[in-house]
Amino acid sequence: MSEFAARRAAAMAGLERIDAKDRPAGLIVTHLPNVRYLTGFTGSNAILVLTPGQALLATDPRYDLQAREETDCEVAVYKRYPMLGQLLPKLKRAGLKRWGIEAGHLTVDLLGVLEKGLPKTRFVSSASVVEGLRMVKSADEIERIRRAVRINSEAFEKAVEHLRPGISENFFAAELEFQMRALGAERASFETIVVSGPRSAFVHARPSGDPVLANELLLIDMGAHCEGYASDMTRMVFPGVPGKEVKRRYNAVLEAQLAAIDAVRPGVSSVQVDRAARYVLKKREMDTLFVHSTGHGLGLEIHEPPRVARRHGSKLRAGMVITIEPGVYIEGFGGIRIEDTVLVTGTGCEVLTPTSKELLAI
Ligand code: ZN
Ligand code: ZN
């Protein structure tokens, strides 16, 4: 059995855990990262239909050859839109009373198509069945993430050699992305963040045409996507000699980050990991400046379960890959965030990101 076939079997087994009165006998997968996870298909248009003993991948003519090459599923090619409408006869033939759907990834329009086409059928949200499987990575997935992390860190190291005050944030973001691709990444995992000075207090600011300023904080948040898998890292650079206040706040964030990493081990709730970071910042009276969660899972997507936040935690398991990224954001001063990609191991964790966490003065 291929790794993909095993994942599909696990997804079908996941349906079994849904309440008997709601339990669907088949699953309509419309979220592309889930389709990729279950089939290996990397194209941009597909629906996967899973029924007991069958996997049908629907796509359009652009992906006919590719789907047959990449997957071991039955492939159906549809020319007309919406594909889900074209699939109705096959869904009907399956004769199921209940289908699992991915409620977070199916438009109201398409649900309408299903409900109209299959009037005596119920559609049950089975949103977390595949996401739940994806949380724990296989050896192959971990290898891909390691590679994405390595490329990310190497690109940072290379690009930072050319970093000087005066070059624009955009220019440096492009340099980072160029290095990642030159080193073998498919693309950046998300729009690279390079923000200098007080604007770094905007947690997810976009790089601008403004210059990197001397004697101001510079926040760099970047990720590489390799063979479908993401990495994520944030580092702070200081062009100049950092003053007392910068150092004090930086060290507090670093201490919080290390405390959270220390808390990562199998069996622990991700909420406890979040709490460990918050506790350190509270002692320094900086907890109110920490306005986001401590981290997130990553893999085929840059943000995926589990959450590492105050609420809605998951029990950590060996094979999960998460980020640890506390930060503080101060109006008029700037933001400080330190982020690593971390693998949960059998006994604790391994910080995959090799880049130094000293405040980098250039
Ligand atoms: Zn990040
Ligand atoms: Zn992140």
Side-chain angles (χ1 to χ4, degrees):
M1 198 192 269
S2 74
E3 184 165 0
F4 298 112
R7 290 173 186 173
R8 292 195 294 270
M12 289 302 281
L15 296 180
E16 301 281 319
R17 286 190 285 277
I18 295 174
D19 252 10
K21 64 175 176 31
D22 288 330
R23 189 179 302 147
L27 186 60
I28 301 170
V29 185
T30 45
H31 185 42
L32 278 172
N34 287 347
V35 173
R36 178 168 183 168
Y37 181 76
L38 296 170
T39 67
F41 178 66
T42 61
S44 69
N45 185 26
I47 296 171
L48 176 68
V49 179
L50 295 181
T51 48
Q54 209 206 359
L56 175 73
L57 184 80
T59 186
D60 68 63
R62 292 174 299 165
Y63 293 118
D64 188 359
L65 278 179
Q66 186 181 329
R68 286 169 213 282
E69 199 172 297
E70 288 180 338
T71 79
D72 53 3
C73 303
E74 186 191 329
V75 175
V77 176
Y78 297 103
K79 286 197 186 85
R80 273 183 303 155
Y81 180 85
M83 209 153 66
L84 201 54
Q86 309 295 302
L87 265 171
L88 285 171
K90 282 204 197 280
L91 297 176
K92 225 176 254 174
R93 230 169 291 143
L96 307 182
K97 286 195 186 71
R98 282 186 292 266
W99 283 99
I101 54 162
E102 298 180 299
H105 303 280
L106 187 73
T107 62
V108 175
D109 271 1
L110 288 177
L111 181 60
V113 168
L114 284 174
E115 286 174 339
K116 210 172 145 207
L118 301 167
K120 290 197 185 82
T121 311
R122 249 182 13 100
F123 298 95
V124 182
S125 175
S126 313
S128 56
V129 169
V130 186
E131 272 81 355
L133 297 175
R134 278 173 50 191
M135 282 203 283
V136 176
K137 271 68 183 174
S138 70
D140 174 64
E141 290 181 290
I142 291 168
E143 212 29 69
R144 290 173 196 228
I145 294 170
R146 277 185 195 280
R147 189 155 172 254
V149 167
R150 214 153 44 225
I151 285 176
N152 180 99
S153 284
E154 266 179 58
F156 176 79
E157 213 167 286
K158 287 204 157 141
V160 127
E161 283 172 27
H162 311 289
L163 177 58
R164 300 283 175 273
I167 69 167
S168 79
E169 294 169 354
N170 259 331
F171 185 92
F172 191 62
E175 172 78 28
L176 291 165
E177 292 182 7
F178 169 79
Q179 290 295 353
M180 285 195 281
R181 293 184 80 153
L183 288 163
E186 290 145 16
R187 58 178 172 91
S189 295
F190 53 91
E191 219 178 301
T192 304
I193 299 173
V194 175
V195 212
S196 169
R199 227 166 48 84
S200 58
F202 301 173
V203 178
H204 266 194
R206 284 224 168 86
S208 70
D210 293 348
V212 169
L213 302 167
N215 300 309
E216 292 278 359
L217 288 163
L218 178 69
L219 186 151
I220 298 167
D221 190 351
M222 62 189 291
H225 227 77
C226 278
E227 297 169 281
Y229 285 77
S231 63
D232 198 358
M233 172 180 99
T234 307
R235 286 294 182 270
M236 301 301 307
V237 177
F238 198 89
V241 182
K244 243 190 174 157
E245 211 36 34
V246 169
K247 277 192 194 158
R248 185 179 75 85
R249 286 170 165 152
Y250 185 87
N251 288 333
V253 174
L254 181 56
E255 204 191 309
Q257 207 248 3
L258 294 173
I261 289 172
D262 234 31
V264 176
R265 71 183 75 90
V268 159
S269 160
S270 58
V271 168
Q272 274 172 266
V273 175
D274 181 85
R275 205 173 293 149
R278 252 169 249 284
Y279 179 72
V280 171
L281 291 172
K282 194 172 170 70
K283 276 195 300 185
R284 307 278 181 279
E285 290 173 347
M286 288 187 221
D287 54 319
T288 55
L289 306 172
F290 178 21
V291 294
H292 53 76
S293 55
T294 294
H296 52 87
L298 78 175
L300 283 169
E301 290 175 278
I302 185 65
H303 293 118
E304 56 182 55
R307 291 166 54 91
V308 186
R310 264 191 254 229
R311 279 177 282 276
H312 308 296
S314 305
K315 194 177 264 197
L316 295 179
R317 280 181 281 163
M320 286 182 172
V321 181
I322 56 176
T323 69
I324 299 292
E325 52 177 308
V328 296
Y329 306 87
I330 303 143
E331 195 180 347
F333 174 85
I336 298 172
R337 177 163 74 249
I338 305 169
E339 174 180 29
D340 287 326
T341 300
V342 174
L343 167 70
V344 184
T345 63
T347 51
C349 73
E350 180 188 344
V351 177
L352 301 181
T353 309
T355 306
S356 160
K357 283 189 277 206
E358 300 252 326
L359 175 57
L360 181 62
I362 57 161

